Amino acid sequence: MPHDERRPARAANTAVQVRDALREAILAGEYLPGERLVEAQLCVRLEASRFNVRAALQDLAAEGLIEVQRNRGAQVRKVSMAEAVEITEVRMVVEGLIAGRAAERVTDDEAIELDEIGLLMRRAVEAGEYRRYSDLNQRLHALIRDIAGHHTADRIVETLRGQLVRHQYMLSLVPGRPQTSLPQHERIIAAIRNRDPKAAETAMRTHIASVIEALKSLKSLSYA
């Protein structure tokens, strides 16, 4: 019957919405590493059934954002500094690929948008608005992924980025970090807008190699 055939589709969509909403909350720092995710509370907050909440938790566990332990439930997964470095090493390869692909596909309008973000990033650094700079940084990388249109690489980067959200916050507090990364981002933008795939990939790899070195400098720090 048509009514019965539609019912599973609605259930699947609800589970996906719960998963996406919870992922967004974790990435926004609303749940900290090690914090328990109580199913009953999530059901109320997300207006979802326990079945869909459990399905969302299983999906996020597969992404590496949370971990589910027998008799202890789910909690936001803690990522060690050593693992954060490994994850970023993988990001370096994948995002290098993405930057090169973006240089092959960028349109004139997209090149203008890249330039605009680069200008806003420079103004943010000059004004000492480092939170805004961090937001623009994420916007720039998202735009580059959109331009590249490499859906598999995009999914990989999103998963890896989610696992690093706490470490990215710690990096944003490192004195002088924005001043270091700004010219790196400007070189990435220039290479993409000049439609030079090799230069774009090299610039992106150089930038993320710098992120790896910055992460290594934080090894003495622990979760707050």
Side-chain angles (χ1 to χ4, degrees), residues 194-218:
N194 289 335
R195 297 171 173 81
D196 188 334
K198 185 175 181 179
E201 180 170 359
T202 298
M204 181 65 80
R205 279 175 168 258
T206 299
H207 164 56
I208 299 185
S210 172
V211 173
I212 291 171
E213 290 307 309
L215 279 171
K216 289 178 179 178
S217 73
L218 294 175

Side-chain angles (χ1 to χ4, degrees), residues 87-100:
I87 291 170
T88 308
E89 288 171 341
V90 176
R91 275 190 58 203
M92 181 172 66
V93 176
V94 179
E95 292 209 50
L97 167 69
I98 289 171

